[in-house]
């Protein structure tokens, strides 16, 4: 692990117990919570750990490489006296590392002049600058209807079998900040080897341009490593943003795999489980990650977080999406129904929301017509859904001509606006023009949320008849 191997101090050999990924050490003195530890096995192999708990002369250490192959005798543990710190800076850009930050691309260890604690801290609310500029992803439905704003935390809610990883890679590969210095930190947790290869291939161009730091924790890596990966990613991002002046997008997938790792460690510690066996501190633990994004007054750059999580059985009330929804500022929800129709990306626009969208759209930010078009399109889609349900009850021939227009709008939205290739980078102007094309399906009298001057500028005359 970069910059953490030179631990000097008293070595302890009193290993009382090996319990899953944990080592219980007795006879310790002066050891603190979250302290970094170097572990040397009888064979000479070196491992690394973090102190989870201290009780009088006992310390519980979580071993980042797991305890497989360790025994109680012959194991020596030295404590660093400080939390885990890693080198930070532009040296991470263009590199592929494992979930602990060790090179996985055959290159040398990542070095840097500055070291930062991996634990980090949320931004002081007094020093927070409100998010007010967009991060454009090149994905039309996201940019128009759930605009991502610099400094925002906006999760993607998905389910097994849906293309959330494809969407995450597409956003990471295409995202920009209007020509300003930009970088992406991608943290993959619990990925299969096939998924890890897909991520590397999809982000190869951004990595070659030295705009990407990639951390990959695979499913067969130690579960403890999964707890470190997002913290390491955020530590890298904070330096790139607040010291180097870049706007940084942190993509973290899959946060459900992270929460399951937290549950496993909690069970090994013998803690009393809470809802669905997750630890009672799951909310505060997730918040300690999500709240590290934002903008700091007086400093350049920003950290924007896009967590991706799968909802077991599609249950949005599951603890991980439920608590994530409380902490974050909206959500992008993927739909199994839309996916079954063959449409990509399968976003459900009526279940998705960006609460900070108004701060990052409109004149001098995106386009003057953007907020009105987005609001009108959502309202029209809601009406279309009601008409669709009515058609199922009374039959389509019984609908009014205006109701039929709303059904046409729903089809046009899905096939012309929502549908987009996984490698298609669509500009905001193109996306908004497509939105206008879909809205033009309706008579101008049904576009009550858009100012008349915008309708005159964007809707062809033949569509302006009154209802």
């Amino acid at each position: 692990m970069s910059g953490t191997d030179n631990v000097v101090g008293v070595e302890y050999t009193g290993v009382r117990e090996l319990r899953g990924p944990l080592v219980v050490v007795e006879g310790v003195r002066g050891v603190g919570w979250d302290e970094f530890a170097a572990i040397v096995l009888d064979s000479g192999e070196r491992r690394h750990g973090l102190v989870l708990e201290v009780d009088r002369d006992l310390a519980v250490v979580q071993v980042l490489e797991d305890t497989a192959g360790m025994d109680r005798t012959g194991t020596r543990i030295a404590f660093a006296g400080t939390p885990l710190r890693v080198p930070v800076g532009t040296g991470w850009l263009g590199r592929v590392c494992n979930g602990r930050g060790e090179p996985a691309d055959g290159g040398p260890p990542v070095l840097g002049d500055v070291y930062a604690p991996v634990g980090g801290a949320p931004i002081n609310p007094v020093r927070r600058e409100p998010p007010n500029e967009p991060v454009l992803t090149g994905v039309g439905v996201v940019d128009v209807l759930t605009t991502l704003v610099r400094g925002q935390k906006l999760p993607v809610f998905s389910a097994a079998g849906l293309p959330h990883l494809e969407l995450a890679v597409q956003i990471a590969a295409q995202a920009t900040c209007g020509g300003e210095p930009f970088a992406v930190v991608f943290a993959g947790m619990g990925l299969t080897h096939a998924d890890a290869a897909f991520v590397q291939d999809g982000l190869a161009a951004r990595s070659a341009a030295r705009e990407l730091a990639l951390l990959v924790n695979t499913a067969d890596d130690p579960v403890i490593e999964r707890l470190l990966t997002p913290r390491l990613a955020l530590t890298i991002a904070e330096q790139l943003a607040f010291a180097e002046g870049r706007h940084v997008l942190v993509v973290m997938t899959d946060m459900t795999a992270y929460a399951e790792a937290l549950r496993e460690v909690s069970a090994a510690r013998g803690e009393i489980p809470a809802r669905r066996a997750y630890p009672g501190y799951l909310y505060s633990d997730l918040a300690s990650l999500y709240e590290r994004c934002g903008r700091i007054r007086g400093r350049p750059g920003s950290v924007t977080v896009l967590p991706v999580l799968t909802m077991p059985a599609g249950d949005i009330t599951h603890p991980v999406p439920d608590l994530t929804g409380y902490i974050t500022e909206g959500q992008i929800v993927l739909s199994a129904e839309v996916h079954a129709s063959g449409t990509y990306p399968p976003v459900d626009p009526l279940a998705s929301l960006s609460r900070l969208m108004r701060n990052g759209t409109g004149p001098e930010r995106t386009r003057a017509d953007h907020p009105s078009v987005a609001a009108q399109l959502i309202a029209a889609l809601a009406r279309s859904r009601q008409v669709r349900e009515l058609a199922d009850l009374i039959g389509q021939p019984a609908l009014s001509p205006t109701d039929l227009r709303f059904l046409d709008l729903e089809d046009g939205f899905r096939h012309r606006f929502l549908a987009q290739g996984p490698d298609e980078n669509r500009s905001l102007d193109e996306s908004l023009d497509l939105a206008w094309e879909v809205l033009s399906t309706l008579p101008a009298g049904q576009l009550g949320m858009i100012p008349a001057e915008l309708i005159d500028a964007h809707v062809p005359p033949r569509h302006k008849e009154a209802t």
Side-chain angles (χ1 to χ4, degrees):
M1 182 175 297
S2 302
T4 58
D5 289 324
N6 299 320
V7 177
V8 178
V10 177
E11 289 189 336
Y12 295 92
T13 58
V15 177
R16 171 183 286 192
E17 185 180 356
L18 299 173
R19 186 192 313 153
L22 307 180
V23 176
V24 181
V25 190
E26 59 185 357
V28 302
R29 296 181 59 186
V31 175
W33 176 81
D34 208 29
E35 193 169 326
F36 179 71
I39 304 164
V40 182
L41 278 60
D42 199 25
S43 63
E45 178 188 351
R46 297 181 67 87
R47 298 187 185 180
H48 312 87
L50 297 173
V51 176
L52 283 183
E53 187 177 342
V54 178
D55 183 9
R56 294 184 291 274
D57 68 337
L58 293 178
V60 179
V61 180
Q62 62 177 13
V63 183
L64 300 180
E65 298 88 348
D66 213 338
T67 58
M70 293 178 60
D71 56 41
R72 291 176 52 200
T73 60
T75 297
R76 308 189 307 278
I77 302 176
F79 297 94
T82 61
L84 172 62
R85 302 172 72 86
V86 295
V88 290
T90 57
W92 290 94
L93 297 176
R95 299 301 305 273
V96 180
C97 299
N98 64 16
R100 299 190 302 275
E102 297 172 342
D105 53 10
V110 178
L111 302 175
D113 296 330
V114 178
Y115 281 70
V118 170
I123 297 174
N124 187 334
V126 176
R127 297 192 62 197
R128 277 189 184 272
E129 193 75 30
N132 61 5
E133 295 287 344
V135 176
L136 297 179
T137 66
V139 179
V141 67
V142 174
D143 290 343
V144 173
L145 298 183
T146 55
T147 310
L148 184 60
V149 183
R150 299 176 198 177
Q152 183 179 11
K153 41 195 181 290
L154 184 67
V156 175
F157 287 1
S158 184
L162 299 183
H164 47 271
L165 186 62
E166 289 86 341
L167 181 60
V169 170
Q170 183 176 11
I171 290 174
Q174 297 178 174
T176 58
C177 272
E180 297 187 42
F182 186 72
V184 175
V185 181
F186 193 103
M189 292 163 280
L191 302 180
T192 65
H193 286 279
D195 285 344
F198 171 78
V199 170
Q200 291 189 48
D201 291 344
L203 299 177
R206 178 139 258 174
S207 182
R210 290 184 55 81
E211 295 178 343
L212 172 78
L214 179 57
L215 305 174
V216 179
N217 164 265
T218 56
D220 56 352
D221 284 332
V223 68
I224 284 293
E225 183 180 294
R226 227 155 285 163
L227 302 182
L228 180 63
T229 303
R231 290 177 168 80
L232 179 58
L234 289 162
T235 303
I236 296 168
E238 287 165 347
Q239 176 71 15
L240 292 173
F242 305 131
E244 307 287 343
R246 296 174 184 251
H247 297 288
V248 185
L249 174 64
V250 182
V251 180
M252 303 188 296
T253 180
D254 178 349
M255 291 305 295
T256 303
Y258 169 86
E260 289 171 352
L262 193 69
R263 178 169 60 181
E264 185 172 328
V265 172
S266 174
R269 294 174 66 181
E271 296 172 334
I272 298 174
R275 189 171 152 208
R276 298 207 190 182
Y278 287 98
Y281 50 82
L282 177 61
Y283 177 90
S284 58
D285 190 278
L286 291 174
S288 73
L289 298 175
Y290 299 150
E291 293 294 348
R292 289 175 67 176
C293 72
R295 299 167 63 229
I296 298 178
R297 185 173 292 110
R299 291 197 187 182
S302 62
V303 176
T304 306
V305 174
L306 188 80
V308 181
L309 56 92
T310 50
M311 302 177 291
D315 181 11
I316 202 168
T317 66
H318 183 275
V320 180
D322 189 30
L323 297 177
T324 295
Y326 281 116
I327 303 166
T328 54
E329 294 124 0
Q331 67 279 330
I332 300 169
V333 180
L334 303 190
S335 164
E337 179 187 354
V338 177
H339 180 60
S341 72
T343 302
Y344 173 90
V347 174
D348 182 350
L350 297 184
S352 302
L353 170 70
S354 172
R355 294 191 181 94
L356 300 182
M357 176 176 167
R358 287 278 174 177
N359 297 352
T361 59
E364 299 181 4
R365 292 189 175 91
T366 53
R367 233 169 67 172
D369 59 332
H370 185 173
S372 300
V373 168
Q376 183 66 73
L377 192 52
I378 289 294
L381 289 170
R383 172 77 182 275
S384 298
R385 185 168 293 184
Q386 292 175 338
V387 171
R388 180 73 64 185
E389 293 171 353
L390 181 62
D392 292 339
L393 289 174
I394 66 174
Q396 192 162 317
L399 298 178
S400 70
T402 300
D403 287 341
L404 293 174
R405 292 284 194 94
F406 277 99
L407 292 184
D408 291 340
L409 176 135
E410 185 181 44
D411 291 337
F413 173 82
R414 181 169 294 187
H415 296 114
R416 296 204 304 275
F417 178 82
L418 180 59
Q420 181 175 343
D423 298 320
E424 180 185 351
N425 190 350
R426 190 181 289 173
S427 71
L428 180 63
D429 284 337
E430 290 173 329
S431 297
L432 284 171
D433 290 345
L434 285 172
W436 274 110
E437 182 182 324
V438 172
L439 286 172
S440 296
T441 306
L442 300 177
Q446 296 294 325
L447 304 180
M449 303 182 73
I450 302 179
E453 60 270 18
L454 291 178
I455 295 177
D456 291 339
H458 292 277
V459 178
R462 67 181 183 276
H463 292 287
K464 292 180 183 177
E465 73 274 13
T467 55

